[in-house]
Amino acid sequence: MPKRALITGITGQDGSYLAEQLLGEGLEVFGMVRRSSTETFERIAHLRDRVTLVQADLLDQTSVIRALQRAEPQEVYNLAAQSFVPTSFEQPELTAQYTALGVTRMLEGIRAVDKRIRFYQASSSEMFGKVRESPQSERTPFHPRSPYAVAKAYGHFMTVNYRESYGLFACSGILFNHESPRRGLEFVTRKITDGVARIKHGLARELRLGNLDARRDWGFAGDYVRMMVAMLRQDRPDDYVVASGETHSVRELCQIAFARAGLDWERHVVVDASFIRPAEVDLLVGDPAKAGRELGWQPTVDFRGLVEMMVDADLARIGQAVARRELRH
Ligand code: NAP
Ligand code: G4F
């Protein structure tokens, strides 16, 4: 019988790449999805006949237990979360329910259903926040700067605690920003590449952004999901930073993205104070040495390659929509 994996958040960016990865390895893949009045399965449309979707919600402990009983997985990847930092300032309590307590519900579900299940928790470089040192490694203390980051720090420590208290095979992947043509449109990379495509095709003239000086360590999501799997295939559970080791500003991102479409970013980008956050994370740059040593981490796409891949995909997508008259000037 093939090994089975359950992915929470399968309809998100990472969930779709991870499902592809696990199917490619011959696993039977189950995806946990929450009920919605309209389907949100666009990112996994090409996989629909190869994955089994199970309805459950991280807010509902019983539904989580039923999903685990139904899938009988050997591996669980907990990717579901309220993952957008600005929304966490507007909805801090809901963010804590999904992003923090949701982790406890998954861990309790595993304790109740089968303690042998290997568990991956999607932790975040946002936990480093107001950074104490650069680059940030597994040993860098956390200083979260948003309700999202506080919730992720809780999820991280619960994962460590259930490993130490109950002997669960539970790993926390501290992943730095990773992007792709499947990234949500509100995140800055995709907002910029989608904006470039709209301007290029004459659908818009300006792009309104917040803090152009913020620096992030950006990589390609397809590379990062391989590390989630690698963590669960180790002999011993542990926590890992996954990052490119490079940092770039939002301004540099704009320069490369607009130039790819033959545009001058300074003629189109407008700084809009409404996108400035109550507390900012100014600089992230990760030290992926441990992942390199123990998991064989080697990203295949660099920063420029990532931005150009995303611009090209959005130019093609918007161009096709214009040609089909779904979008009009
Ligand atoms: P994403 O695209 O926003 O996807 C989030 C997923 O969570 C979606 O499938 C969403 O389902 C699901 N979800 C949200 N609330 C849920 C609930 N109550 N019950 C069940 N499912 C729920 O996020 P992503 O970029 O793929 O990131 C995956 C995970 O990694 C997240 O936990 C994120 O916080 C974390 N992370 C991401 C990055 C990054 O740079 N991408 C870096 C570090 C950590 P719907 O489709 O129904 O909304
Ligand atoms: O793309 P962002 O919204 O990502 P952020 O806040 O770094 O969070 C992402 O990465 C985390 C890993 O570190 C994940 F855990 C989290 O789930 C999410 O995937 O913003 C990046 C930077 C910020 O400093 C922001 O202030 O871009 C800056 N920015 C400037 N203008 C903007 C904008 N961000 C957004 N979303 N929209 C803007 O207009």
Side-chain angles (χ1 to χ4, degrees):
M1 256 216 334
K3 201 148 87 167
R4 288 179 303 277
L6 173 67
I7 304 174
T8 76
I10 195 169
T11 55
Q13 171 189 257
D14 290 5
S16 66
Y17 284 107
L18 179 62
E20 283 171 11
Q21 170 79 26
L22 294 171
L23 287 168
E25 293 179 9
L27 272 77
E28 190 176 347
V29 174
F30 291 78
M32 198 178 108
V33 293
R34 53 183 171 166
R35 197 259 161 192
S36 165
S37 64
T38 47
E39 283 196 349
T40 56
F41 301 158
E42 196 182 315
R43 294 188 182 99
I44 50 165
H46 60 301
L47 306 174
R48 271 304 287 280
D49 56 349
R50 299 169 64 202
V51 298
T52 306
L53 300 181
V54 186
Q55 212 176 80
D57 197 304
L58 281 185
L59 297 185
D60 184 324
Q61 180 74 70
T62 314
S63 73
V64 166
I65 289 176
R66 280 205 203 97
L68 287 163
Q69 288 169 333
R70 167 115 190 265
E72 293 185 80
Q74 284 82 36
E75 296 177 355
V76 168
Y77 297 87
N78 186 36
L79 309 187
Q82 191 302 94
S83 72
F84 191 48
V85 171
T87 297
S88 78
F89 286 103
E90 300 297 324
Q91 300 175 8
E93 189 185 333
L94 192 74
T95 300
Q97 283 290 347
Y98 287 178
T99 306
L101 286 176
V103 184
T104 305
R105 294 189 188 103
M106 291 305 299
L107 289 163
E108 278 296 307
I110 287 173
R111 276 187 73 206
V113 172
D114 182 355
K115 283 179 66 176
R116 295 167 303 173
I117 293 171
R118 295 188 171 204
F119 178 75
Y120 173 85
Q121 169 56 18
S123 292
S124 165
S125 53
E126 282 291 304
M127 300 187 301
F128 296 122
K130 194 169 162 60
V131 298
R132 306 277 177 88
E133 61 180 8
S134 286
Q136 297 86 46
S137 75
E138 296 80 5
R139 292 175 306 283
T140 305
F142 298 153
H143 185 146
R145 295 275 280 173
S146 63
Y148 167 80
V150 173
K152 281 289 178 188
Y154 170 92
H156 169 81
F157 283 123
M158 286 304 271
T159 303
V160 174
N161 184 260
Y162 273 53
R163 181 169 75 218
E164 294 175 354
S165 304
Y166 307 116
L168 294 192
F169 194 109
C171 300
S172 172
I174 306 174
L175 270 52
F176 282 62
N177 299 50
H178 45 278
E179 320 291 316
S180 73
R182 298 182 199 166
R183 185 59 143 153
L185 285 165
E186 68 274 47
F187 298 92
V188 77
T189 49
R190 188 75 197 288
K191 183 173 171 182
I192 291 171
T193 62
D194 176 72
V196 165
R198 285 174 189 275
I199 292 168
K200 184 70 181 178
H201 286 290
L203 299 171
R205 293 159 75 116
E206 66 174 32
L207 175 63
R208 304 184 84 81
L209 295 173
N211 179 9
L212 302 185
D213 295 319
R215 301 184 73 86
R216 289 288 183 279
D217 179 329
W218 278 292
F220 171 53
D223 283 336
Y224 286 57
V225 299
R226 283 189 284 110
M227 290 299 99
M228 302 175 182
V229 180
M231 283 180 218
L232 294 202
R233 306 285 166 79
Q234 293 273 95
D235 293 337
R236 281 185 310 105
D238 206 346
D239 310 318
Y240 293 89
V241 158
V242 183
S244 76
E246 280 181 26
T247 187
H248 298 274
S249 66
V250 174
R251 185 176 279 102
E252 283 173 76
L253 176 49
C254 289
Q255 280 161 354
I256 295 176
F258 278 83
R260 180 69 172 179
L263 298 169
D264 176 359
W265 74 278
E266 288 182 285
R267 296 186 57 195
H268 301 284
V269 171
V270 177
V271 173
D272 181 337
S274 69
F275 293 110
I276 305 285
R277 298 173 182 186
E280 176 63 290
V281 173
D282 296 320
L283 163 80
L284 289 175
V285 56
D287 172 3
K290 182 178 171 188
R293 232 176 18 251
E294 298 183 16
L295 305 177
W297 167 239
Q298 254 188 341
T300 63
V301 181
D302 66 7
F303 177 64
R304 176 176 290 275
L306 171 70
V307 177
E308 293 183 349
M309 173 208 297
M310 292 176 68
V311 171
D312 292 352
D314 276 326
L315 281 171
R317 182 181 58 88
I318 300 276
Q320 284 158 13
V322 169
R324 289 195 302 264
R325 295 175 183 273
E326 290 162 10
L327 291 173
R328 288 172 195 276
H329 298 114

